[in-house]
Amino acid sequence: MKKVLIFVTNHATLGETGEPNGTFAPELTHALKEILNAGFDYDLVSINGGKAPLYGTDIEGDEVNREILADDAFQNRINNTLPVSAVRVEDYDAIFYPGGFGLLSDLATNDAVARLSAQHYEGGGVLAAVCHGPAGLLPITLSNGEKLLASKAVTGFTREEEVDYGTLDKIPFLLEEALARTARRYSKVQPWQELVVEDDRVITGQNPASAHAVGAALVQRLA
């Protein structure tokens, strides 16, 4: 059985504000729906382990989100995430970073997670991320000393979407700028429209609307 390692944040606020945050639930649940429909297994992993903060858990009309969040197995895993120190990365076929603002404050700069993802990628594994999730790809350095993204085309949450969301002055850094400065190419479409960019074994999606398609692309890559 194929298995996906999903990195979630331990950071429970929007930047240094007191606003509740963490992982944006629909970006996790919509991708996870595709992973589960394919018959794959998954683990939820965070830097410190334990209960991982979620927001966006009460969005009206989002049946996929409601279904996954109501699942006992999911609740057990999100409330008891594995710590990075307990992970054997060779046990997984893909790594997925869902978005949410929280990871800008931990996964985006964590060397231990970046080393695991580099090891996974260089071993032939797939890396996928959506919305702010591609921030987790920024610190990944390959064994040749080059940044993973230096040779990759990617997308991620845009400046316009930050403006629409009212978060431009609250985030630790602007993801679009960081990706544009680090990646070989950064692409975007109109705010809130679906966009998935696949470059070899790196799959990225622009925003929440792209989570389902990122999950589908990950499944297709492992098929």
Side-chain angles (χ1 to χ4, degrees), residues 160-223:
E160 293 86 351
E161 287 162 335
E162 298 283 6
V163 169
D164 289 352
Y165 221 68
T167 46
L168 198 59
D169 298 326
K170 300 177 179 180
I171 47 177
F173 64 92
L174 180 60
L175 180 59
E176 176 178 334
E177 181 182 17
L179 291 173
R181 289 181 182 279
T182 307
R184 179 175 63 83
R185 185 173 71 246
Y186 170 82
S187 304
K188 64 181 179 181
V189 291
Q190 285 290 316
W192 313 111
Q193 302 301 304
E194 180 183 302
L195 175 64
V196 174
V197 174
E198 294 189 59
D199 190 339
D200 189 22
R201 289 175 287 110
V202 176
I203 304 164
T204 51
Q206 179 173 313
N207 48 31
S210 309
H212 157 83
V214 167
L218 185 157
V219 166
Q220 183 65 35
R221 177 63 65 166
L222 295 183

Side-chain angles (χ1 to χ4, degrees), residues 42-190:
Y42 71 98
D43 281 329
L44 298 180
V45 178
S46 62
I47 295 169
N48 301 321
K51 185 174 182 177
L54 292 176
Y55 69 109
T57 57
D58 54 355
I59 296 173
E60 286 188 21
D62 189 334
E63 288 304 309
V64 170
N65 202 40
R66 186 193 60 75
E67 174 194 337
I68 298 292
L69 292 172
D71 180 68
D72 288 342
F74 173 82
Q75 284 296 328
N76 184 52
R77 294 182 202 198
I78 198 69
N79 288 314
N80 301 279
T81 63
L82 301 172
V84 166
S85 58
V87 168
R88 278 170 37 94
V89 76
E90 56 268 29
D91 293 342
Y92 300 93
D93 300 282
I95 290 176
F96 172 55
Y97 293 81
F101 297 96
L103 68 77
L104 297 178
S105 297
D106 64 1
L107 294 173
T109 55
N110 187 269
D111 290 335
V113 171
R115 282 194 298 272
L116 282 180
S117 291
Q119 180 187 339
H120 175 74
Y121 182 77
E122 292 192 310
V126 176
L127 298 175
V130 68
C131 197
H132 287 93
L137 307 180
L138 289 168
I140 299 174
T141 303
L142 302 176
S143 56
N144 62 4
E146 293 184 0
K147 289 286 190 182
L148 167 77
L149 292 184
S151 62
K152 300 300 177 192
V154 297
T155 186
F157 206 61
T158 68
R159 186 183 190 281
E160 293 86 351
E161 287 162 335
E162 298 283 6
V163 169
D164 289 352
Y165 221 68
T167 46
L168 198 59
D169 298 326
K170 300 177 179 180
I171 47 177
F173 64 92
L174 180 60
L175 180 59
E176 176 178 334
E177 181 182 17
L179 291 173
R181 289 181 182 279
T182 307
R184 179 175 63 83
R185 185 173 71 246
Y186 170 82
S187 304
K188 64 181 179 181
V189 291
Q190 285 290 316

